[in-house]
Amino acid sequence: MSVLTSPSTPATRKRSGLLQGKAKYAPTVATIVLFFVMFAAGSVIYPGFFSGQVFLNLLIDNTFLIVLAVGMTFVILTGGIDLSVGSVVALSMMIAAALLQAGWNPFAVIGLVLLTGAVLGLLMGLVIQVFEIQPFIVTLAGLFLARGLCYVISLDAITVTDPFFTSMAQARIRLPGNMFISPGVLIALLFVAGAFYVLHQTRFGRTVYAIGGGEASARLMGLAVPRTKVLVYTVSGFCSATAGILFSFYSLSGYSLAATGMELDAIAAVVVGGTLLTGGYGYVIGSLAGVLVLGIVQTFISYQGTLSSWWTRIVIGVLLLLFILLQKIFSRKTKLA
């Protein structure tokens, strides 16, 4: 028997398993390390950058993007994509602003907006599953549909003056050291914690990973593939509507052009956070780190003061390319092992 055809030894299999285990964490760890390196570099370059409040401001300014990235993580882990999330955010803001202006109860408005987002996600998931159409096409149609409905509601921006929304926009939760966060940060972190539990401690979460690893294999294992694929788009729609509510708290307005391109930010945050675009590998904690990396790039631009905001897009493009290459390298290493 040649060396090439000889079966692997237990030691080799053990080494292979260890390498696979380390490799799947590597992109997420790299993102977290990159964030701390950038934060340390900013602290050296800019006076006042090294502050707990600067870190907390990253969370405050990106609550809606964190929630959006959580929903996108579910979708990408199955190997799918959801291009409609930015438009659903804008539609949620427009519905909320129009109903509040008409005198609706704010809690009824929030409930209706969340239901609308979940139903939109459910419908897109059903079309993808029942008619076996590519998620890219179906969610692209959802993007145009939701954005078009925004213009049906109003062509102009609608200001939100409801007392509850205003109080949420102005509320501050005090922390030790004279620091603070907004209530939206707690909501966003609850979404991250809830998603982590669902993905790693429930049958639904394990099925999400199994579909991304190989849909045919998941079917052979008897997993509920069709139901899970529909549900991940429902989760994404619900997260998009929640992000719309949080964006309404942040901006106190509804505008048809709001959140334009935000779907690309969410995808970039998830990929930079270490989730494979082909599905099967990734962590929602990495998506949170990805949002923080995108946020700190914006903070760098703000502190520099002389650079155009378009430099944020350039840096994000470079980071996205680097992390896709990193994922490719570790995928090959895992296969070779």
Side-chain angles (χ1 to χ4, degrees):
M1 182 180 291
S2 70
V3 174
L4 290 176
T5 58
S6 63
S8 58
T9 64
T12 303
R13 288 197 296 271
K14 184 178 180 181
R15 179 175 173 276
S16 171
L18 286 173
L19 186 54
Q20 287 181 340
K22 292 177 181 177
K24 68 180 182 181
Y25 295 124
T28 302
V29 172
T31 306
I32 295 172
V33 170
L34 174 64
F35 171 75
F36 283 109
V37 169
M38 293 176 74
F39 198 87
S43 302
V44 172
I45 298 171
Y46 305 111
F49 196 98
F50 186 71
S51 163
Q53 191 57 53
V54 170
F55 171 76
L56 294 177
N57 286 342
L58 290 175
L59 295 173
I60 293 171
D61 294 338
N62 292 286
T63 51
F64 38 89
L65 187 55
I66 291 171
V67 175
L68 214 55
V70 167
M72 189 65 77
T73 304
F74 277 84
V75 174
I76 292 181
L77 279 174
T78 62
I81 199 78
D82 189 349
L83 298 178
S84 70
V85 294
S87 297
V88 175
V89 168
L91 179 60
S92 302
M93 295 174 68
M94 290 299 290
I95 292 173
L99 293 179
L100 290 171
Q101 193 179 53
W104 278 50
N105 180 285
F107 298 103
V109 170
I110 292 173
L112 182 63
V113 167
L114 296 181
L115 180 63
T116 302
V119 169
L120 280 174
L122 174 68
L123 293 176
M124 286 188 285
L126 285 172
V127 172
I128 291 168
Q129 178 60 35
V130 174
F131 297 99
E132 297 182 350
I133 302 175
Q134 288 294 322
F136 176 87
I137 300 299
V138 176
T139 57
L140 182 64
L143 180 154
F144 286 114
L145 173 66
R147 189 66 70 177
L149 288 174
C150 291
Y151 292 105
V152 171
I153 295 172
S154 176
L155 295 175
D156 302 317
I158 304 174
T159 303
V160 174
T161 57
D162 177 78
F164 175 73
F165 274 60
T166 305
S167 64
M168 288 295 288
Q170 297 173 347
R172 295 288 181 267
I173 300 171
R174 296 292 170 185
L175 298 176
N178 204 26
M179 295 184 292
F180 64 87
I181 57 173
S182 66
V185 173
L186 291 182
I187 296 172
L189 294 180
L190 281 175
F191 266 74
V192 173
F196 185 85
Y197 175 81
V198 169
L199 284 171
H200 299 285
Q201 299 296 328
T202 68
R203 183 179 179 85
F204 171 71
R206 288 189 287 273
T207 306
V208 168
Y209 278 100
I211 292 172
E215 188 172 331
S217 301
R219 289 180 187 276
L220 289 174
M221 286 189 291
L223 298 175
V225 173
R227 184 177 63 192
T228 304
K229 286 181 68 177
V230 173
L231 279 178
V232 294
Y233 288 94
T234 308
V235 169
S236 180
F238 180 78
C239 288
S240 303
T242 306
I245 294 295
L246 293 176
F247 206 176
S248 296
F249 290 158
Y250 187 79
S251 64
L252 286 178
S253 67
Y255 184 43
S256 300
L257 289 176
T260 302
M262 194 176 283
E263 59 277 356
L264 302 181
D265 290 336
I267 294 170
V270 173
V271 173
V272 169
T275 300
L276 287 182
L277 268 174
T278 51
Y281 281 104
Y283 302 92
V284 71
I285 299 296
S287 300
L288 172 62
V291 171
L292 293 178
V293 167
L294 302 192
I296 205 168
V297 171
Q298 183 65 52
T299 305
F300 264 100
I301 302 296
S302 301
Y303 267 79
Q304 182 63 29
T306 58
L307 294 175
S308 166
S309 61
W310 284 107
W311 276 99
T312 307
R313 299 292 173 188
I314 295 170
V315 175
I316 291 173
V318 172
L319 284 176
L320 196 56
L321 182 60
L322 288 176
F323 273 86
I324 287 175
L325 290 173
L326 180 66
Q327 289 180 3
K328 195 70 179 176
I329 291 169
F330 278 99
S331 295
R332 285 181 177 175
K333 187 170 286 188
T334 303
K335 289 176 182 176
L336 287 173

